[in-house]
């Protein structure tokens, strides 16, 4: 009997299952990608996807990810640049655990994402299709699988019947996309995924996220009056740029009343860096230009920000009025958090700024004209002074400094390039010198579990295949990205991007933290911090071995620009590039 005849005889019976309903519902809800790390719990899902492909049905594109941390980081980056949640599939409890710190990142970054994990089968003697047939089904049966991630999720749910799978998925997506946005986690036993069900017609439009709300007219009037009354008003933000339409509204307000803007730990492009009313960054150390702005202000409007200043280092004057507009003004998931404010508004920043600008446009500002003009003149002078200081930091030296690296990098990038920034101890240098001025061109994790940048860059590239994507990372952070998996995926799915490693041969941040607490301690005196890596790791070679990328290493300032230009050329021609930039090494003993 021929193989062809055998194939004809074993045509599978095509029944409609919970897995089919799941795939169709996610597709109809606008999910474009399934980022997957599959296991035995996903058998019926795999069958469903194969069946859909065989039948020529539209379905989300499947991206195979060899590591779960990376899987969620890709979804994170994609949702950041598009605003649209994608689906992540992980394997029972062990795959859920392997998500690791990425669940912290999506929670703190308020990233909408749908995470699905199977569960060990709930039957053991073939009572139902999908019953236990492997020894791991016993070992992976844990008492509280959702408890692994519950503290980091907006919503967790176990689906116990395929008959309401569609409704459960749509409710989960509704929760993920309602402000404050965030991740959701769904799970179900293998038997439920294999269950034969009747297709039911559930309307996606009946599960829309909660409509955003801005501040009211009277609340906007209060903010405007405070801005007009203040002699030294100040606006602070961190993530207003997550809504790109909010940025021009902030610019309009700043220009209308000559109000300076400071970005505190920004992880979006919130306000054009070269705008004359941009007065610098708060990098959470208190040792930079924004500290004086906070101390001098008599009115501060905080918009979309978690940590506007560090009270240990600086705080406003006693008589300074502080108002707060935020999707999450009381930070319900941060146990120790308090910033004395006069008014807090739980509101959408874009809609709120529109209302504030509407109020301003209806005012007769003639009595304030001179004060506004004088303040504008002073702000422009401060901005120019700031730029001058920043340029001095980037002057040539005998080794490559973070400021020289970022200034040179800016000169070889285009304004439309998307920069994913996870440089940690070198955040300040990136903000000072990369200076993005277009919305949607700068992103950070908004959190602290290192390794986000590699997966996030792939997500950004999937969402913007025609744009150049650049990941900036420290050497320690680069190792956390799971680089072998990152570059395999980038090669497999044609998402080339540029990685620039700020290599100071170790974890600089723990050293800085130690010095911050014990500046004259024994570690400082003996210069021993257990954070140095030395020069042995050729990190750029990982990308060559695992992902057909081209790796570069550079330590001389004279060669820096040429190497960066070569790397950009490599990416523009369809291959990823990794530039390992050796900065001045840390002092301190080796590991």
């Amino acid at each position: 009997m021929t193989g062809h005849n055998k194939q004809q005889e074993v045509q599978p019976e095509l029944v409609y299952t919970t897995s089919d309903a799941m795939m169709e519902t996610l597709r109809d809800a606008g999910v474009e990608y399934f980022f997957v790390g599959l296991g035995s719990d996903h058998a019926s899902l795999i069958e469903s996807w194969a069946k859909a492909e065989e039948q020529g049905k539209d379905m989300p594109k499947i991206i195979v990810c060899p590591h779960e941390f990376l899987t969620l980081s890709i979804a994170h980056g994609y949702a950041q640049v598009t605003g649209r949640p994608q689906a992540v599939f992980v394997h029972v409890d062990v795959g859920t655990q392997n998500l690791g710190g990425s669940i912290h990142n999506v929670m703190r970054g308020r990233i909408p994402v749908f995470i699905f994990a199977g569960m060990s089968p709930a039957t053991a003697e073939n009572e139902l299709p999908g019953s236990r047939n492997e020894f791991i089904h016993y070992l992976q049966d844990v008492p509280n699988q959702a408890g692994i991630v519950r503290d980091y999720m907006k919503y967790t749910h176990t689906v116990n019947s395929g008959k309401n799978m569609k409704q459960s998925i749509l409710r989960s997506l509704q929760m993920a996309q309602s402000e404050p946005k965030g991740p959701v986690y769904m799970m179900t036993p293998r038997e439920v995924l294999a269950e034969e069900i009747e297709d039911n017609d559930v309307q996606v439009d009946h599960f829309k996220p909660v409509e955003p709300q801005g501040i009211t007219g009277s609340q906007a009037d209060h903010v405007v009056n405070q801005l007009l009354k203040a002699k030294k008003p100040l606006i602070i933000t961190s993530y207003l740029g997550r809504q790109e339409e909010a940025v021009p509204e902030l610019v309009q307000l700043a220009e209308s009343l000559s109000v300076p803007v400071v970005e505190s730990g920004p992880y979006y492009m919130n306000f054009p860096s070269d705008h004359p009313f941009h007065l610098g960054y708060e990098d959470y150390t208190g040792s930079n230009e924004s500290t004086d702005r906070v101390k001098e202000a008599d009115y501060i409007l905080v918009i979309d920000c978690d940590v506007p200043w560090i009270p240990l280092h600086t705080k406003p004057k006693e008589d300074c009025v502080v108002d707060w507009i935020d999707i999450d003004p009381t930070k319900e998931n941060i146990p120790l958090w308090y910033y004395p404010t006069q008014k807090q508004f739980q509101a959408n920043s874009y809609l709120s700024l529109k209302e504030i600008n509407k109020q301003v446009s209806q005012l007769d500002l003639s009595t304030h004209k001179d004060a506004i003009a004088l303040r504008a003149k002073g702000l422009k002078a401060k901005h120019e002074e700031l730029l001058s200081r920043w340029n001095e930091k980037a002057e040539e030296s005998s080794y490559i400094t973070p400021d020289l690296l970022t200034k040179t990098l800016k000169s070889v990038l285009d304004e439309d390039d998307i920069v994913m920034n996870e440089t940690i101890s070198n955040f300040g240098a990136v903000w000072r010198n990369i200076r993005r001025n277009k919305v949607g061109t700068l992103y950070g994790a908004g959190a602290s579990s290192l390794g986000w940048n590699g997966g996030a860059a792939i997500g950004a590239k999937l969402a913007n295949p025609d744009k150049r994507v650049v990941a900036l990372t420290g050497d320690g952070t680069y190792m956390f990205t799971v680089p072998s998996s990152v570059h395999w995926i980038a090669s497999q799915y044609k998402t080339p991007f540029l990685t620039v490693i700020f290599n100071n041969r170790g974890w600089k941040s723990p050293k800085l933290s130690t010095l911050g607490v014990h500046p004259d301690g024994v570690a400082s005196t003996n210069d021993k911090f257990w954070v140095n890596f030395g020069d042995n790791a050729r990190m750029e070679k990982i990308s060559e071995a695992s992902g057909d990328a081209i790796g570069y290493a550079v330590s001389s300032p004279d060669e820096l620009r040429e190497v960066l230009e070569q790397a950009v050329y490599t990416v523009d021609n369809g291959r990823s590039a990794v530039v390992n930039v050796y900065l001045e090494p840390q002092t301190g003993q080796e590991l």
Side-chain angles (χ1 to χ4, degrees):
M1 185 177 291
T2 66
H4 175 71
N5 289 334
K6 276 186 179 180
Q7 190 176 27
Q8 285 183 329
E9 288 180 9
V10 293
Q11 287 293 331
E13 181 183 359
L14 300 182
V15 298
Y16 190 80
T17 66
T18 303
S19 293
D20 297 326
M22 186 176 198
M23 186 276 290
E24 292 175 0
T25 306
L26 289 168
R27 176 200 64 197
D28 294 344
V31 171
E32 297 146 301
Y33 286 93
F34 291 167
F35 301 112
V36 307
L38 300 172
S40 60
D41 46 325
H42 301 124
S44 295
L45 289 172
I46 293 170
E47 176 65 16
S48 176
W49 301 341
K51 186 168 56 179
E53 186 178 87
E54 175 73 16
Q55 294 173 331
K57 290 184 178 180
D58 289 335
M59 60 182 291
K61 185 173 181 180
I62 297 171
I63 304 292
V64 177
C65 303
H67 194 287
E68 289 84 354
F69 179 95
L70 174 58
T71 307
L72 188 51
S73 297
I74 298 174
H76 184 157
Y78 192 95
Q80 274 189 293
V81 301
T82 65
R84 301 190 296 272
Q86 303 304 303
V88 168
F89 292 81
V90 296
H91 176 44
V92 293
D93 63 321
V94 291
T96 299
Q97 289 170 321
N98 227 25
L99 290 169
S102 62
I103 62 169
H104 160 91
N105 289 340
V106 290
M107 184 268 281
R108 287 292 180 220
R110 300 178 182 85
I111 302 299
V113 61
F114 174 88
I115 304 171
F116 177 83
M119 301 170 66
S120 282
T123 59
E125 298 184 80
N126 205 30
E127 298 96 325
L128 293 169
S131 188
R132 295 185 183 187
N133 63 347
E134 301 178 47
F135 80 95
I136 60 170
H137 293 153
Y138 293 88
L139 304 183
Q140 294 170 346
D141 185 4
V142 296
N144 186 14
Q145 182 174 311
I148 299 169
V149 297
R150 185 172 284 119
D151 284 348
Y152 296 87
M153 296 294 125
K154 278 199 69 179
Y155 175 70
T156 63
H157 179 60
T158 301
V159 180
N160 294 306
S161 170
K163 292 179 173 59
N164 67 348
M165 173 60 86
K166 288 189 174 183
Q167 294 94 325
S168 297
I169 290 172
L170 293 173
R171 171 165 164 74
S172 295
L173 288 169
Q174 181 185 51
M175 296 285 282
Q177 296 178 89
S178 296
E179 296 286 9
K181 298 178 181 180
V184 296
Y185 181 81
M186 178 185 286
M187 56 187 188
T188 191
R190 190 166 74 164
E191 294 94 332
V192 174
L193 291 173
E195 181 184 354
E196 183 178 349
I197 61 173
E198 294 290 330
D199 189 7
N200 58 336
D201 185 22
V202 178
Q203 297 298 312
V204 173
D205 288 347
H206 292 173
F207 291 83
K208 289 182 177 179
V210 175
E211 290 289 332
Q213 299 291 322
I215 61 176
T216 65
S218 61
Q219 291 168 337
D221 187 58
H222 162 81
V223 172
V224 172
N225 286 336
Q226 292 291 343
L227 287 168
L228 289 174
K229 185 167 63 175
K231 290 181 171 57
K232 291 188 175 182
L234 177 65
I235 294 174
I236 302 177
T237 186
S238 296
Y239 53 86
L240 174 137
R242 67 199 287 269
Q243 295 184 97
E244 294 185 0
E245 63 271 26
V247 175
E249 294 291 336
L250 179 57
V251 172
Q252 180 180 333
L253 176 61
E255 292 178 345
S256 297
L257 302 179
S258 296
V259 183
V261 175
V262 164
E263 295 183 83
S264 181
Y267 53 103
Y268 290 89
M269 203 299 289
N270 302 299
F271 192 80
S273 298
D274 289 334
H275 193 286
F277 295 170
H278 191 294
L279 289 192
Y281 304 92
E282 170 62 61
D283 66 6
Y284 301 154
T285 67
S287 60
N288 56 72
E289 63 274 348
S290 67
T291 298
D292 290 340
R293 317 298 182 214
V294 172
K295 290 179 178 179
E296 295 170 354
D298 53 1
Y299 176 66
I300 298 176
L301 177 60
V302 182
I303 310 178
D304 282 351
C305 183
D306 289 330
V307 186
W309 57 82
I310 297 291
L312 179 68
H313 298 304
T314 187
K315 59 180 63 176
K317 299 182 295 185
E318 286 292 329
D319 60 349
C320 177
V321 175
V322 179
D323 288 332
W324 207 297
I325 300 173
D326 202 314
I327 52 173
D328 181 22
T330 57
K331 314 303 174 187
E332 295 179 4
N333 287 327
I334 303 178
L336 179 64
W337 187 97
Y338 38 81
Y339 284 83
T341 56
Q342 185 180 82
K343 290 184 180 293
Q344 291 184 327
F345 306 110
Q346 185 165 9
N348 176 280
S349 57
Y350 165 64
L351 296 176
S352 298
L353 284 168
K354 276 182 68 75
E355 184 63 32
I356 292 170
N357 283 326
K358 176 184 173 183
Q359 297 274 14
V360 172
S361 69
Q362 295 172 350
L363 294 175
D364 178 4
L365 296 176
S366 57
T367 57
H368 301 276
K369 183 179 178 181
D370 291 342
I372 291 172
L374 182 63
R375 189 157 62 227
K377 183 178 180 181
L379 293 178
K380 291 176 182 177
K382 288 180 179 179
H383 179 77
E384 290 299 321
E385 178 187 349
L386 199 60
L387 292 183
S388 178
R389 291 208 306 270
W390 289 351
N391 287 332
E392 287 178 8
K393 283 180 174 286
E395 289 181 352
E396 298 283 348
S397 67
S398 58
Y399 51 85
I400 301 174
T401 66
D403 283 273
L404 177 61
L405 170 54
T406 47
K407 182 179 180 180
T408 307
L409 181 61
K410 178 179 174 61
S411 71
V412 302
L413 297 181
D414 296 334
E415 288 188 354
D416 292 324
D417 293 347
I418 298 174
V419 177
M420 317 302 281
N421 179 25
E422 197 178 17
T423 49
I424 315 303
S425 59
N426 290 311
F427 271 149
V430 173
W431 296 330
R432 287 190 295 268
N433 296 293
I434 295 294
R435 297 211 301 270
R436 309 307 276 168
N437 294 297
K438 287 190 174 184
V439 295
T441 61
L442 177 68
Y443 298 93
S448 60
S449 183
L450 303 183
W452 158 88
N453 69 88
I458 292 173
K461 187 65 176 178
L462 285 171
N464 294 275
D466 297 328
K467 287 193 175 183
R468 187 188 298 144
V469 177
V470 183
L472 308 182
T473 177
D475 49 323
T477 303
Y478 178 71
M479 289 190 280
F480 283 134
T481 65
V482 197
S484 57
S485 294
V486 165
H487 294 295
W488 178 85
I489 293 174
S491 176
Q492 184 77 9
Y493 296 102
K494 311 302 180 189
T495 55
F497 67 97
L498 170 63
T499 300
V500 179
I501 302 173
F502 289 60
N503 190 343
N504 50 31
R505 287 87 154 177
W507 288 312
K508 187 176 180 180
S509 293
K511 176 181 177 179
L512 295 177
S513 295
T514 303
L515 293 174
V517 179
H518 305 285
D520 302 313
V522 176
S524 175
T525 302
N526 293 346
D527 196 21
K528 187 165 186 178
F529 298 89
W530 289 279
V531 295
N532 285 18
F533 299 155
D535 295 326
N536 295 329
R538 295 296 303 276
M539 297 181 184
E540 74 280 4
K541 295 298 182 182
I542 299 173
S543 63
E544 294 182 351
S546 61
D548 192 39
I550 297 182
Y552 302 88
V554 59
S555 58
S556 169
D558 296 335
E559 299 171 359
L560 177 61
R561 182 181 180 85
E562 181 182 354
V563 170
L564 290 174
E565 288 176 340
Q566 289 175 350
V568 167
Y569 178 82
T570 298
V571 172
D572 290 348
N573 283 274
R575 295 175 69 180
S576 289
V578 176
V579 183
N580 186 5
V581 183
Y582 288 96
L583 305 176
E584 178 188 22
Q586 298 186 81
T587 57
Q589 299 180 34
E590 301 292 321
L591 289 174

